[in-house]
């Protein structure tokens, strides 16, 4: 079972301004089929709050900062993302919540799968039973 982890991205510091880059299968361990971003989040709001069966993702704080809580059904960890040259890799089958957005923050999310509502697990209770079911079928 893979664990969520921080992946450091290349950074090219320059007096003209800095540059970072992501290439699929090089800095992110999947082929990117979709990319979306979350922005203009009002203070105190939470995004995410679901899991995916197949979709894997990389979350990057392009601007500002926010917390990402990740939970595999047994253990919950929290990462504060605040640098655009760090990505948080989130494997499939992870419950995740994004909160505590700073003003003007932008969360970029790279996804391995096309948008598919059937891939979503929408409640934590369903997620827990999905994890139990996976543990029973995969010795
Ligand atoms: P949702 O996945 O619920 O956002 P969050 O992860 O913050 O909970 O998506 C919010 C809305 O955006 C929902 O109406 C579906 C739409 N949406 C798409 O149409 N395509 C996408 O790729 C994503 C991620 C969302």
């Amino acid at each position: 079972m893979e664990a969520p982890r921080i992946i450091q991205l290349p950074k090219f510091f320059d007096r003209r301004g800095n540059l970072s880059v992501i290439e699929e299968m090089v800095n992110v361990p999947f082929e990117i089929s979709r990319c979306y971003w979350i922005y203009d989040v009002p203070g105190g709001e939470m995004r995410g709050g679901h899991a995916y069966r197949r979709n894997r993702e990389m979350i990057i704080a392009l601007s500002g900062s926010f917390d990402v809580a990740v939970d595999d059904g047994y253990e919950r960890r929290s990462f504060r993302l605040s640098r655009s040259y760090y990505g948080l890799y989130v494997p499939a089958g992870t419950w995740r919540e994004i909160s505590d957005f700073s003003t003007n923050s932008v969360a970029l999310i790279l996804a391995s799968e096309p948008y598919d509502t059937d891939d979503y697990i929408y409640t934590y209770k369903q997620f827990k039973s999905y994890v139990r079911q996976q543990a029973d079928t995969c010795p």
Side-chain angles (χ1 to χ4, degrees):
M1 177 72 185
E2 280 186 295
R5 65 178 188 274
I6 293 287
I7 295 177
Q8 185 160 359
L9 303 170
K11 47 187 175 182
F12 296 93
F13 287 117
D14 194 307
R15 60 179 177 77
R16 300 169 301 161
N18 304 328
L19 183 152
S20 284
V21 59
I22 299 174
E23 287 185 57
E24 62 182 3
M25 306 307 292
V26 176
N27 320 103
V28 59
F30 55 79
E31 289 177 359
I32 300 163
S33 75
R34 184 165 53 105
C35 137
Y36 61 96
W37 46 101
I38 297 172
Y39 54 98
D40 290 348
V41 179
E45 287 295 340
M46 197 259 278
R47 298 296 308 235
H50 48 70
Y52 307 104
R53 293 177 176 82
R54 287 192 319 278
N55 188 46
R56 300 185 278 160
E57 60 187 16
M58 172 100 127
I59 305 176
I60 301 155
L62 275 194
S63 179
S65 59
F66 46 81
D67 287 337
V68 187
V70 286
D71 182 331
D72 62 5
Y74 301 100
E75 187 189 19
R76 182 170 283 234
R77 295 171 67 193
S78 185
F79 295 86
R80 178 118 196 127
L81 298 183
S82 60
R83 298 283 175 198
S84 60
Y85 50 83
Y86 286 123
L88 176 63
Y89 171 64
V90 183
T94 307
W95 184 265
R96 56 105 165 129
E97 296 169 358
I98 314 176
S99 62
D100 287 310
F101 288 84
S102 69
T103 307
N104 291 332
S105 54
V106 180
L108 174 70
I109 295 137
L110 309 176
S112 67
E113 307 298 321
Y115 180 63
D116 175 9
T117 50
D118 289 341
D119 191 43
Y120 276 65
I121 303 170
Y122 286 107
T123 70
Y124 193 73
K125 195 173 165 208
Q126 282 171 347
F127 172 67
K128 286 290 279 184
S129 61
Y130 173 78
V131 169
R132 270 196 299 273
Q133 189 190 321
Q134 292 296 105
D136 289 346
T137 53
C138 310

